[in-house]
Amino acid sequence: MIESILFKKLIDEAYVKIKNHIRNQKSALAIKKSDFEEILDNHITHILNWCSEISFLETSQKKDTIKTYVNLDYFLTPKRIHFSKKEREKTVRLEEILKRENHNIVILGDPGAGKTTTLKYIAYKILQDETFFPEEFNFPVLVRLKELKKNETLIDKLADTLGIYIKVSESEVRINKYEILLSAISSTVNQLRCLILLDGFDEIQNPNLKNEILTDIENLSVNSDIISFILTCRSADFYYSISNCSIYEIKPLVDEQVETFVHNWFKDQKKSNKLLQIIFASAYKYYALKPLTLAHLCAIYERTESIPEKPILLYKKYTELLLSDWDKQNRVKRISAFSDFNNDSKLNFLSHLAYLSKTKYDIDYFEKDKLQNIYREICEQYTLPKKEAINVINEIESHTGLFLQTGFNSFEFEHKTIQEYITSEYIVNNFNQLSEEYIYKLPNELAAALLLSDTPDELFLNVLKKLNFYSKYNSFFDKKRIEKYLYHLQNFPALSDSEWFGRNSLPRVHPDELPINSNHYDFYNTFISRISIEKPNFSENKNLCFWLLGIYTISTLFKENSNQLELFSLNTRFYLENLFSDSFFTNAINSNITIYSLGVDTDRKNKYGQKINIKDRPLIPYILKNKEDNDLPNFIYLPTKFYKNNR
């Protein structure tokens, strides 16, 4: 690979200078020039193979790094120490960092943020692009820190990589050899204008080795007058101050970067446009904020020409990826400092934490004291020590990236949708513990739980039972109110339902008497809308379908009209109507509508000689035949299309 005459000459000169430098240290370079060249040549080949392509579990084929790479934005300081939003608004791009810096660089980022891909991009550009900082960098050197052996220092690894083998007398102590190697490495880096790429400080599992390597990095840094290395690490694992180093943190992707990423991923412009259209028109818009998650979507779409219809299932897969699959693929085994605190335990702990944050504590993000309070409340269930809250949270952040420190005194889940999914895991396993009060606080999480449940029909109906919706609904639609309504419908067929319910003929109702009162209609709006979007795998359950019609009936009766409440938005009506078009609903209604009777006599004329024309009405009233059946609504509206199907 060392084909350039100038580069070969540079290596020859470097060999001579390194040899003289080591001789001045009263040692000798124990390698021939040809072997020195071969080692460097082999390393260049290794780096090219490593940096030219990216791949992960879901990709059908590897992707060209340079064509897929998107220029990222970097915070000027780690986000965990941000005190204000203004600090988060100040960002720079990679080229600006390399241009402005004369210090070594630490790049932090959450799992999947693009740390390793950034190093691949830098290595590729140094080797293949003559215009990429030619005066600063000639030669990249890669060290994947997870590959260091138990008793191997970083300095030893760099010496082997650069072909710096020295002879020392038996009287030489190890510290002298270390100093000689450190000095020789610094000389080589300066001579060859190397840029050392240190990937994955967080992936070093042995604490003692980690401390030793940190010392090596510190020594390497203070011995350089130029940028000699770039170190990457997960944000949660880096609390250190290294002399002569500047720290940056990767910012999540913005919409323009998402578009660039997708277009770069696909060769087919139509395919990339179609995927972008799907992403920006769906809940995925709020999900594809990191290169890993976006690549995950692209890979699935590339393989199947579709993405999961239900975002929650992608969240589940993504959570599994962060918990274990990503590390498995990278052959990293993360060891917990706490007994039996494996990935399953971490997920259970986080789901419990998320659930309590939404129900008991009413928070979406955590200040340190609140986080410690919740931790102390649940830690014993997971055999975790009471005084180790922050250490446990730091380990979860480091090992999974699901829960992050986002400011000086603030913590939160990786994304709101991930928090909803994790909470839904807790709900599915502990639904009987939920009180009516708590249910009203969890509309999105309960909708997500329906997707995870093996019996979503039963879970949905149990939610309504816990909210006493059955009794409230049937108490409202009592015999007197139904008869009065049907009388007016029969005798004044031109009168719309909303007009009738707005007249004095309706018995006065206090808002709290409504099946869905003013304090709770937001819950039903959100819950039903999310169900309609996610579309759980409901079966043809008549109770489920008729109670959905009951909610739909409420949504048609109470609108913004004089003093009436607008209980449901038009979007919610639209989502329900979309849900009703699914075959499970149509089949269940067609099979069970005989439980109800038509609420008006279409053959009888009123006192004005008018007849009810059902076809002209968007909704048809039906009355439950067996009034003793309290598990079904007394009265429902049925969309006209279902009436037509049953004529």
Side-chain angles (χ1 to χ4, degrees):
M1 294 298 299
I2 301 177
E3 298 173 353
S4 167
I5 296 175
L6 291 176
F7 191 44
K8 189 175 186 307
K9 182 179 179 182
L10 182 65
I11 290 178
D12 289 344
E13 293 174 355
Y15 176 79
V16 173
K17 289 191 175 183
I18 294 167
K19 189 175 183 178
N20 292 335
H21 178 85
I22 292 175
R23 184 183 296 122
N24 292 336
Q25 302 294 322
K26 299 181 180 179
S27 297
L29 186 63
I31 189 174
K32 299 177 183 177
K33 185 174 72 171
S34 59
D35 293 334
F36 179 72
E37 291 178 352
E38 183 179 357
I39 288 172
L40 294 181
D41 187 73
N42 289 338
H43 189 64
I44 291 174
T45 302
H46 168 69
I47 292 179
L48 270 175
N49 291 334
W50 172 78
C51 73
S52 297
E53 298 175 325
I54 61 172
S55 62
F56 72 106
L57 276 155
E58 296 294 342
T59 53
S60 58
Q61 57 184 357
K62 293 181 179 180
K63 295 291 179 180
D64 187 293
T65 300
I66 211 67
K67 292 180 180 178
T68 308
Y69 179 78
V70 173
N71 283 320
L72 303 173
D73 295 308
Y74 297 80
F75 294 122
L76 300 179
T77 54
K79 64 177 182 287
R80 68 167 62 248
I81 63 172
H82 291 174
F83 283 93
S84 66
K85 290 184 178 180
K86 288 185 178 180
E87 290 184 274
R88 298 191 182 189
E89 293 172 356
K90 298 177 182 179
T91 60
V92 291
R93 291 285 175 90
L94 178 63
E95 280 73 9
E96 295 177 61
I97 294 174
L98 296 176
K99 188 180 295 184
R100 65 190 278 180
E101 277 296 349
N102 55 9
H103 296 92
N104 296 302
I105 297 169
V106 177
I107 294 178
L108 304 181
D110 299 328
K115 302 181 294 297
T116 298
T117 302
T118 295
L119 294 190
K120 288 187 174 188
Y121 173 80
I122 292 170
Y124 187 92
K125 294 288 281 185
I126 291 174
L127 292 173
Q128 301 285 44
D129 186 350
E130 294 179 356
T131 66
F132 186 79
F133 298 95
E135 300 299 319
E136 289 82 4
F137 312 122
N138 274 328
F139 185 90
V141 176
L142 171 67
V143 177
R144 303 173 72 184
L145 295 173
K146 68 180 180 182
E147 296 176 351
L148 292 177
K149 300 177 178 62
K150 186 175 181 180
N151 296 318
E152 184 180 27
T153 68
L154 174 60
I155 298 305
D156 290 334
K157 181 69 174 179
L158 285 171
D160 287 343
T161 302
L162 292 169
I164 301 174
Y165 303 125
I166 63 174
K167 292 179 181 178
V168 293
S169 63
E170 293 182 1
S171 61
E172 291 279 1
V173 294
R174 186 179 185 280
I175 187 63
N176 288 339
K177 181 180 179 181
Y178 179 93
E179 293 294 340
I180 293 170
L181 285 176
L182 177 62
S183 177
I185 288 168
S186 298
S187 176
T188 304
V189 167
N190 289 328
Q191 181 64 31
L192 289 176
R193 296 203 299 276
C194 293
L195 180 62
I196 302 170
L197 307 175
L198 304 174
D199 189 32
F201 183 71
D202 57 283
E203 296 178 354
I204 305 168
Q205 294 306 298
N206 186 299
N208 294 329
L209 179 59
K210 204 168 197 175
N211 288 332
E212 290 178 6
I213 291 173
L214 187 62
T215 300
D216 292 342
I217 292 171
E218 173 79 22
N219 291 334
L220 193 65
S221 187
V222 297
N223 273 275
S224 62
D225 298 324
I226 58 173
I227 298 178
S228 61
F229 67 79
I230 298 178
L231 171 70
T232 68
C233 184
R234 286 187 178 182
S235 304
D237 255 357
F238 203 84
Y239 294 92
Y240 314 101
S241 175
I242 300 176
S243 303
N244 199 29
C245 268
S246 297
I247 303 175
Y248 297 86
E249 183 159 358
I250 298 173
K251 180 183 178 181
L253 299 176
V254 297
D255 285 355
E256 290 181 4
Q257 291 167 321
V258 170
E259 291 176 6
T260 301
F261 187 103
V262 174
H263 285 308
N264 288 348
W265 186 280
F266 296 100
K267 296 178 181 178
D268 187 335
Q269 189 81 2
K270 290 183 179 179
K271 184 176 286 189
S272 61
N273 286 336
K274 180 63 176 176
L275 177 56
L276 285 168
Q277 182 181 358
I278 294 172
I279 290 173
F280 288 129
S282 70
Y284 290 113
K285 177 181 180 179
Y286 306 100
Y287 179 65
L289 299 176
K290 295 180 185 176
L292 174 61
T293 56
L294 191 55
H296 192 58
L297 280 173
C298 288
I300 293 173
Y301 187 78
E302 183 178 39
R303 192 173 68 247
T304 65
E305 295 193 2
S306 65
I307 58 177
E309 181 183 359
K310 302 167 187 175
I312 190 69
L313 300 180
L314 186 61
Y315 309 151
K316 181 178 177 65
K317 187 170 182 61
Y318 178 52
T319 301
E320 291 170 352
L321 188 72
L322 291 180
L323 277 170
S324 60
D325 290 350
W326 186 244
D327 281 340
K328 283 180 183 177
Q329 180 184 336
N330 288 279
R331 299 186 298 279
V332 175
K333 184 177 181 181
R334 299 185 185 275
I335 301 172
S336 175
F338 307 96
S339 177
D340 298 324
F341 199 47
N342 55 28
N343 289 332
D344 289 339
S345 297
K346 286 182 172 68
L347 180 58
N348 292 335
F349 172 85
L350 285 175
S351 68
H352 200 167
L353 179 74
Y355 168 76
L356 288 176
S357 71
K358 291 287 289 184
T359 54
K360 186 174 181 178
Y361 290 86
D362 294 316
I363 54 176
D364 284 322
Y365 73 96
F366 305 77
E367 294 179 350
K368 188 175 292 185
D369 58 341
K370 291 182 180 178
L371 178 61
Q372 290 174 323
N373 287 341
I374 302 176
Y375 173 86
R376 284 191 289 269
E377 185 174 340
I378 66 175
C379 64
E380 290 184 0
Q381 297 182 42
Y382 305 94
T383 63
L384 295 169
K386 278 193 173 183
K387 296 181 180 181
E388 296 287 344
I390 300 304
N391 289 334
V392 169
I393 294 302
N394 286 340
E395 178 175 297
I396 290 173
E397 179 178 0
S398 173
H399 286 201
T400 73
L402 290 171
F403 191 77
L404 312 170
Q405 184 170 358
T406 54
F408 182 75
N409 191 39
S410 61
F411 300 78
E412 59 188 89
F413 283 86
E414 190 266 352
H415 195 273
K416 185 178 180 180
T417 51
I418 296 298
Q419 184 173 0
E420 290 170 356
Y421 159 68
I422 290 175
T423 307
S424 71
E425 289 276 10
Y426 185 87
I427 291 172
V428 170
N429 296 321
N430 302 275
F431 179 77
N432 290 334
Q433 298 179 20
L434 268 68
S435 64
E436 180 179 349
E437 176 191 0
Y438 284 1
I439 283 178
Y440 281 124
K441 297 178 180 182
L442 299 167
N444 284 295
E445 293 78 5
L446 283 162
L450 294 175
L451 295 164
L452 300 176
S453 174
D454 294 332
T455 55
D457 308 46
E458 181 181 340
L459 180 57
F460 174 83
L461 294 172
N462 283 336
V463 170
L464 296 188
K465 287 178 183 178
K466 284 216 172 193
L467 298 179
N468 296 313
F469 184 75
Y470 288 13
S471 58
K472 291 177 184 177
Y473 187 95
N474 284 335
S475 294
F476 180 78
F477 287 108
D478 58 13
K479 182 178 180 181
K480 183 177 180 180
R481 180 169 284 118
I482 293 173
E483 287 178 349
K484 195 158 190 148
Y485 165 67
L486 294 176
Y487 169 81
H488 279 80
L489 179 62
Q490 191 77 53
N491 289 284
F492 305 98
L495 198 64
S496 71
D497 298 314
S498 59
E499 287 176 318
W500 184 84
F501 271 93
R503 290 176 173 242
N504 291 334
S505 55
L506 174 68
R508 288 296 182 182
V509 178
H510 189 276
D512 288 341
E513 294 179 54
L514 298 171
I516 300 172
N517 65 39
S518 57
N519 295 323
H520 299 142
Y521 69 76
D522 279 342
F523 166 82
Y524 284 94
N525 271 325
T526 304
F527 183 47
I528 296 301
S529 297
R530 186 70 180 268
I531 287 173
S532 302
I533 293 171
E534 304 279 15
K535 296 184 178 178
N537 294 321
F538 289 135
S539 63
E540 295 176 11
N541 183 311
K542 71 176 189 300
N543 288 42
L544 167 75
C545 293
F546 285 124
W547 279 113
L548 278 170
L549 276 172
I551 296 172
Y552 184 73
T553 300
I554 297 296
S555 76
T556 65
L557 295 181
F558 299 95
K559 302 177 183 178
E560 190 173 18
N561 185 13
S562 64
N563 295 324
Q564 298 294 338
L565 294 170
E566 184 183 11
L567 293 184
F568 290 81
S569 68
L570 292 177
N571 283 339
T572 305
R573 291 280 307 280
F574 170 77
Y575 289 134
L576 273 170
E577 288 165 2
N578 280 347
L579 183 62
F580 294 164
S581 66
D582 286 354
S583 59
F584 91 90
F585 190 88
T586 306
N587 293 337
I589 293 298
N590 289 339
S591 301
N592 297 286
I593 194 60
T594 54
I595 297 172
Y596 287 80
S597 60
L598 190 62
V600 292
D601 186 348
T602 58
D603 295 325
R604 184 172 67 84
K605 294 181 181 181
N606 65 11
K607 61 183 179 179
Y608 302 107
Q610 298 171 313
K611 292 179 65 175
I612 294 290
N613 189 346
I614 294 296
K615 293 181 181 179
D616 292 340
R617 300 191 64 82
L619 301 166
I620 315 300
Y622 276 82
I623 304 172
L624 185 65
K625 290 180 180 178
N626 181 6
K627 301 299 190 298
E628 301 301 320
D629 191 347
N630 293 322
D631 286 337
L632 288 173
N634 289 340
F635 171 87
I636 56 168
Y637 262 149
L638 195 64
T640 305
K641 65 178 181 178
F642 291 106
Y643 173 78
K644 291 177 180 178
N645 290 336
N646 288 280
R647 293 297 287 171

